[in-house]
Amino acid sequence: MDSPSAQTPPPQASLSKGGHPLLSSGPLSATLGPQGKHYVCGSVAAFTNILVTFPIQKVLFRQQLHGVVAIEAVRQLQRDGLRNLYRGLLPPLLQKSTTVAIMFGLYEDFSRVLLQRADGSGVPELITRSFAAALAGTAEAFLTPFERVQTLLQDHRHHGRFNNTAHTFRTLLTEYGVRECYRGLVPIVLRNGPSNVLFFGLRGPIKDHLPEATSRAGHLVVDFVCGGVLGAALGIMFFPLNVVKSRAQAQVGGAFQPCRQVLLTVWRERGRSVAMLFRGAHLNYHRSLLSWGIINATYELLLKLM
């Protein structure tokens, strides 16, 4: 009997030029198994990205939270001092390396299982893979507490209250309970599921329309462009949800406001201007272009090396 991987083509195969897989087997790949390597590659790719782009993310966060222009956000960080530039790094480092591992790994796992179950049922493969992507994105929302703590540590209004990641978690749990750690969960779920569907659904077609790569460096550039362009477009599309998330998670204690109410509050505060809801979107576009370019290129490179 054929193995599952033989019965259904692995998802990453469809992302290679001409449908030919670019992976090669190796000792590490054999140790992790055919699916485990996707979790490792995703995690390392995200880790690399966060180290490079964290200062940009911090400027963007200040714009989302306060609605200020980029230069004012940079001035705020300058006033905070160099020692606070990487304040709040640990939560996104842990959160992003885990969520991207989940994003790629669970997508592969869900796709394999769902394709096996849908075999012969007449359900289009696109629908099956879209459902797998949505499930993987929803599962990522389990790690909302990391985004919650990152928000509090990046907000200068809480610098005197929360010392570090461990202290913030401990304070939230002891004074407010587990529920407080999941403030902002709804916009995260609304963001993750659809964005995953679009990312995995469009990554292959976009790569197929880029010039054929003939070297490892060429593949690296193509993967960077593919992931960067797609990530930047999705960042713009879902930017208002990130604004809502940042505003909701900057609050400590008190009633949980519905996502729609938070959005309306921000909209009114910013002069009832839709354009002001996208304050910071320009920087977010460039950050996402760089971030998802790094993630996608590093992920694909690690798969090839393994």
Side-chain angles (χ1 to χ4, degrees):
M1 179 180 293
D2 289 338
S3 65
S5 59
Q7 293 171 358
T8 57
Q12 71 272 15
S14 65
L15 306 179
S16 303
K17 299 297 287 185
H20 298 293
L22 299 173
L23 311 184
S24 59
S25 59
L28 182 56
S29 179
T31 301
L32 294 171
Q35 308 306 324
K37 60 186 177 183
H38 296 284
Y39 292 93
V40 174
C41 292
S43 181
V44 175
F47 188 93
T48 303
N49 163 62
I50 289 297
L51 288 180
V52 174
T53 64
F54 184 77
I56 303 175
Q57 168 59 33
K58 205 157 188 180
V59 172
L60 174 63
F61 168 78
R62 294 293 176 89
Q63 290 190 274
Q64 290 176 338
L65 187 61
H66 303 299
V68 297
V69 296
I71 190 65
E72 174 57 28
V74 171
R75 290 195 184 107
Q76 287 184 9
L77 295 181
Q78 288 177 331
R79 288 194 292 269
D80 290 343
L82 186 61
R83 67 187 299 269
N84 284 316
L85 181 60
Y86 275 87
R87 175 183 166 88
L89 173 66
L90 185 58
L93 208 58
L94 296 174
Q95 181 260 343
K96 199 67 177 178
S97 61
T98 306
T99 56
V100 175
I102 290 174
M103 173 183 170
F104 284 105
L106 284 185
Y107 171 69
E108 296 289 339
D109 287 342
F110 284 140
S111 293
R112 187 181 71 258
V113 172
L114 293 175
L115 285 171
Q116 289 174 348
R117 293 185 176 276
D119 187 29
S121 66
V123 178
E125 182 176 336
L126 177 62
I127 300 299
T128 304
R129 292 196 184 278
S130 295
F131 188 52
L135 287 176
T138 303
E140 293 176 47
F142 177 75
L143 297 171
T144 293
F146 287 110
E147 290 197 49
R148 172 78 165 116
V149 170
Q150 177 188 355
T151 297
L152 294 176
L153 289 176
Q154 288 185 345
D155 189 349
H156 65 281
R157 296 173 301 181
H158 297 298
H159 280 184
R161 182 174 185 185
F162 301 111
N163 300 329
N164 50 44
T165 300
H167 178 256
T168 307
F169 269 122
R170 186 166 59 250
T171 301
L172 293 177
L173 290 172
T174 55
E175 296 185 12
Y176 301 98
V178 175
R179 186 168 181 264
E180 184 69 26
C181 293
Y182 281 88
R183 190 182 289 270
L185 174 65
V186 173
I188 289 175
V189 171
L190 294 176
R191 176 197 67 191
N192 285 4
S195 64
N196 265 20
V197 172
L198 292 172
F199 181 83
F200 286 112
L202 296 175
R203 192 167 63 143
I206 290 176
K207 186 170 183 177
D208 288 339
H209 283 82
L210 293 175
E212 182 98 30
T214 57
S215 64
R216 176 167 291 179
H219 282 296
L220 197 65
V221 172
V222 169
D223 290 328
F224 180 91
V225 172
C226 175
V229 169
L230 188 52
L234 294 176
I236 294 293
M237 186 181 301
F238 294 97
F239 190 81
L241 283 175
N242 280 323
V243 172
V244 171
K245 177 199 74 83
S246 295
R247 173 59 66 91
Q249 291 187 334
Q251 178 183 342
V252 180
F256 278 59
Q257 295 182 329
C259 185
R260 178 176 176 274
Q261 184 177 336
V262 176
L263 180 61
L264 287 174
T265 300
V266 175
W267 178 63
R268 293 190 188 103
E269 289 177 355
R270 299 186 182 182
R272 300 177 182 270
S273 169
V274 174
M276 287 296 290
L277 290 177
F278 285 85
R279 174 61 64 85
H282 182 264
L283 179 60
N284 183 68
Y285 176 87
H286 292 92
R287 181 196 65 85
S288 296
L289 187 71
L290 178 62
S291 294
W292 283 102
I294 292 173
I295 289 174
N296 196 54
T298 306
Y299 172 80
E300 294 291 347
L301 176 62
L302 290 173
L303 280 180
K304 295 178 183 71
L305 293 177
M306 291 172 62

